[in-house]
Amino acid sequence: MANLLIRSAVVACLLVCCQPVPAQTKLSTSISSPVAVRSSLSNAASEKKVEALLQKMKLEEKVGQLVQYSAGQPTGPGTGRTDYEDMIRKGEVGALFNITTARQVNEYQRVAMEQSRLHIPLLFGLDVIHGFRTEFPIPLGLASAWDPDLVARTARVAARETSASGVRWTFSPMVDIARDARWGRMAEGSGEDPYLGAALARAYVRGYQGERLDAPDSIAACPKHFVGYGAAEGGRDYNSVEISEHTLRQFYLPPFHAAIDAGAATLMSSFNSLNGVPASASPFTLKQILRREWGFAGIVDSDFTSVAELVAHGIANDGAAAARKAFLAGVDMDMVSSLYHENLEHLVRSGEVPEAAVDEAVRHVLRIKFALGLFEQPYADETREAGAMLQPESLSLARTAAERSFVLLKNAGFSAGAPVLPLSAESGVIALVGPLADDSKDMLGSWAGQGRPEDVITLRTALTQRVGADHVRYAKGTEIIGGSDEQSAEALKVAEQSDVVILALGENAPEMTGEAASRAHLGLPGRQEQLLEKIVATGKPVVLLLFSGRPLTLPWALEHVPAVLAAWFPGVQAGPALVRTVFGEANPSGKLVVSWPRSVGQEPLYYDALNTGRPAVNIDLTRPPKNTEEKYISRYIDEQNSPQFPFGYGLSYTEFRYGNLQIDKTQLSAKSLNHNLHGGERTASAAIVVSAEITNTGTRPGDETVQLYVQLRGTSVAQPVRALSGFQRVGFAPGETKKVTFALGAEGFAFWNEQNKFSVEPARVTLWISPDSSRGSEATLQITD
Ligand code: NOJ
């Protein structure tokens, strides 16, 4: 039944009546349908080969297929082993990662193919998270474009470059729902919403795995981290997680299910404990949900030493117990901890682990090796490598992706004049100030793959090229951490001598964002806030470009700086994309995929929350409570409930008016919707069609992401105040009006009910077509029995 959830969601997606969107760069390799990839994971011919090979394998060789080491630059605590060649020769290793060149890949592969008894190829993996050499914006930025096709195209470029280096497996996409900006890994995913997360998860898998997994330029995807990792208590990385089964199924699982349904070949189990059971030892999630409910046929890989970490979690007292628990729970492959290597054979011989279970795990591994075509083509073509990197069309896509990722948070007038952005050719002399203004390393973001600072065009370089050196005065102003009074004084001088100031401030990457980079304070680090306030005090118009892997709490800046753009970490084309945006050649169209907090104390903060029994309705939350009506409600006494900027929010240089919301039915029946959802003859027909007319009321062309939200009331389990149920990115000419139509199927009204069944119940329904999650006119309908 759970499978239906995602399949129907796909149907709903296809049903959405798209208006034409601007033409996009065509890819040389087309992107597959999910069905083609799924069948290539397990066709009858390759299953036969898997069985035949399995019959020949000794127990120690079977265990070897389940063992994985990092043979390159480690990304965590290692095992200290380096004798990989010897182990490969003996058939004791199935996969390696962190190797990044075709030559190195081929060297190890030659040992496996020529010197091991059964000649089983190794599988090489790598963290290719937002590009291999051509670095695209960090995933949080990429998601802010609300553009699955764009995501798929960036993943395709990443696949081409990665595979050219001999690596055929990426540990991506990260599809963890992230509701807490303190968690540094928010940067690596698609934000807080399950619907958008699922759409982008499918897109990543499509892009990486391509039309056929065995095509030489396809790589296996690995959705991670299964599961609940993003809900770390207090936003502290690796921390424990408590999520009810209902919340798990409704909010945290859909992006994983979507990725698996799109044919993802592998999946990574997470570090965290989930309701007391470490996720890398959870038969409930790994066997019941993943294998039985979703029918996953690929590899479950542990996260880096997460098998060994079962000891620290406190559910195993030694390495053997950790290996046994992880393995029996459904982790096929042990990344780095070496505990399968050390214990699994003995555990089978002692009867603690059935050999049939080892056979099954080995089947998963061999199946993917066959699906990737590694037996036929084990080696990388070393001549393809250099030419595959940083291709002109890849760079052009990187610039488009960066431009679409930017979210314009504020664009007010200066001294009651016109909005500060975009700057015009007559803007005069520009002071470019800030530690990120001439930065090439941080622009790559965390998990920068093989991205190199020298590949980055910085903001300073691009701005100087655009307006000429005479029109730019640069001063660093401060370091991100540290800095001096002299630096700040120089920046003030430069600001005073200029007509407008562009300030480039934010976090550094990967130190402050990404893995192991949780923060308890979400302001600008170091002396940057001070610098900002001083620059604003010069009285010059200021444009703040914010670089970060999460929203930052900047109440002063957001009140006093006229123009603020969230630029995330834009990748190799940072400079050109920013300059084109600042001068209006690109019109910002990104929208937030995470709620932007006013203060850290609001976290975790997400729009699809429950209403509570005491919601704060029609109460002024900008001041402390004055009486019992204002006090005994769900609120803070010293902060508003609402975010600074809601999920889905983002400005443009033009404006859009929403009107004429129409719905084709006001009554639906739960019985027939459920029949549609679960019945044998599930159809792709829409339950309702809802539309709105949207007009570009400004003078510039622009893209608008139109969002559809649903609320259900009167159900057995309380439902969110709003849930995203559709979105479309639509291009508008100045003055143009378009009717944007959404066709919503039964799944648009279904949820995980009190028996944890995905189903439709009688309910009062409110729908919005709106520019973000906090606004819009509404339509209502009734779902009867
Ligand atoms: C640990 C991280 O949690 C995971 O995302 C990554 O893929 C592995 N290390 C491998 O580097």
Side-chain angles (χ1 to χ4, degrees), residues 7-29:
R7 296 223 182 91
S8 335
V10 175
V11 170
C13 237
L14 297 176
L15 276 172
V16 169
C17 311
C18 281
Q19 297 285 352
V21 292
Q24 291 164 340
T25 327
K26 286 262 179 311
L27 278 176
S28 59
T29 316

Side-chain angles (χ1 to χ4, degrees), residues 665-738:
K665 288 187 197 98
T666 53
Q667 207 159 339
L668 293 169
S669 124
K671 199 163 158 220
S672 75
L673 290 172
N674 277 323
H675 183 69
N676 193 259
L677 202 58
H678 305 302
E681 49 190 280
R682 187 166 46 83
T683 67
S685 64
I688 60 152
V689 175
V690 51
S691 64
E693 280 176 13
I694 292 144
T695 305
N696 177 355
T697 57
T699 53
R700 287 170 179 272
D703 283 8
E704 167 73 343
T705 295
V706 181
Q707 300 157 43
L708 171 71
Y709 292 94
V710 173
Q711 183 194 26
L712 304 170
R713 274 174 295 181
T715 45
S716 63
V717 176
Q719 292 301 297
V721 289
R722 282 194 189 206
L724 183 73
S725 300
F727 64 89
Q728 292 179 52
R729 198 187 151 97
V730 185
F732 290 86
E736 188 179 16
T737 297
K738 279 180 179 172

